[in-house]
Amino acid sequence: MKKYNNTNILLNIPALIGISFLILLSTSCDDNSPVKEDTPELITRATLTFTPAGGGTAIVVTATDPDGEGVQNIAVDGPINLAIDKSYILAIALINGLADPASAAYDITSEVKQESQEHQFYFSWTNNVFSNPAGDGNVDNRSDAIGYDDKDVNNLPIGLETTWTTSTSAASGKFKVLLKHQPDLKSAISTSADGESDLDVEFVLNVE
């Protein structure tokens, strides 16, 4: 039978303790490392404000989802009614009504601005309700034109502010607003299929 040297075992105990300490320290550091927040924003109300570029009364519509990720579906408060052949500045405001109004979690607009390199709005519409930009939006094709008025730190579009010109004749169609959360994904070629959807809502839009 092989005999073990107790002296060698005792001499190796400090080394074993040191290795165990290093492993414990490494694990502890990993556990305390900051975790990147990649979850979608919780939005219970989106407000779209179309302000005539030359001045005039703003057209305001909202989409509301009072229980957030609950069973209730998002609901819009009516159609968007715009004038024929007129330019508008669209501003989008977002809140999380389930959060304390005094907390940072309430103002999702500010969060999107602060994390603009991770967010982008995409838009689509039907029946040529806009003359500028022409087409049907960039939900289906990223390269299609959108009048973005804001950009992130990488000079890529955000979409909290956009410019639109309605058609030169009466028309009625659908207008879709899609906000994508794209941490480590947003780029000059990223599309509406990349990332998670923070907001996906569709309105009836009338030009009259």
Side-chain angles (χ1 to χ4, degrees):
M1 177 182 294
K2 184 176 181 179
K3 294 183 179 180
Y4 293 93
N5 189 324
N6 292 335
T7 301
N8 289 338
I9 294 175
L10 291 174
L11 290 174
N12 286 332
I13 287 177
L16 294 173
I17 292 174
I19 292 172
S20 299
F21 176 75
L22 289 173
I23 293 173
L24 179 62
L25 180 62
S26 175
T27 303
S28 176
C29 289
D30 288 342
D31 290 343
N32 292 329
S33 299
V35 177
K36 186 176 180 64
E37 179 60 59
D38 290 345
T39 57
E41 317 300 349
L42 179 58
I43 298 170
T44 63
R45 187 169 76 231
T47 302
L48 280 60
T49 302
F50 289 83
T51 302
T57 303
I59 291 84
V60 181
V61 294
T62 62
T64 307
D65 189 4
D67 64 347
E69 297 178 348
V71 297
Q72 297 185 55
N73 294 323
I74 193 166
V76 300
D77 66 355
I80 303 168
N81 296 318
L82 305 180
I84 293 173
D85 196 20
K86 196 172 187 65
S87 293
Y88 293 88
I89 307 299
L90 169 59
I92 300 176
L94 310 167
I95 68 164
N96 172 12
L98 299 178
D100 183 342
S103 71
Y106 180 83
D107 188 355
I108 304 300
T109 308
S110 291
E111 188 166 344
V112 170
K113 288 179 180 178
Q114 292 169 7
E115 300 176 356
S116 58
Q117 73 279 8
E118 299 180 359
H119 291 89
Q120 182 171 343
F121 283 90
Y122 295 83
F123 304 87
S124 69
W125 57 93
T126 62
N127 296 340
N128 299 311
V129 290
F130 297 111
S131 62
N132 188 18
D136 61 1
N138 64 350
V139 170
D140 61 340
N141 187 348
R142 163 60 188 265
S143 64
D144 285 353
I146 297 292
Y148 290 105
D149 292 333
D150 50 1
K151 294 185 178 181
D152 64 18
V153 293
N154 298 314
N155 204 37
L156 296 174
I158 306 170
L160 285 168
E161 295 185 4
T162 47
T163 299
W164 308 83
T165 301
T166 56
S167 59
T168 57
S169 58
S172 183
K174 302 288 188 180
F175 181 64
K176 181 184 183 73
V177 179
L178 177 64
L179 172 60
K180 300 298 292 192
H181 191 190
Q182 301 174 323
D184 301 322
L185 294 171
K186 184 179 178 181
S187 70
I189 59 172
S190 56
T191 73
S192 64
D194 297 316
E196 299 291 333
S197 296
D198 285 340
L199 177 69
D200 187 349
V201 62
E202 187 175 80
F203 293 86
V204 171
L205 191 150
N206 299 317
V207 179
E208 51 192 19

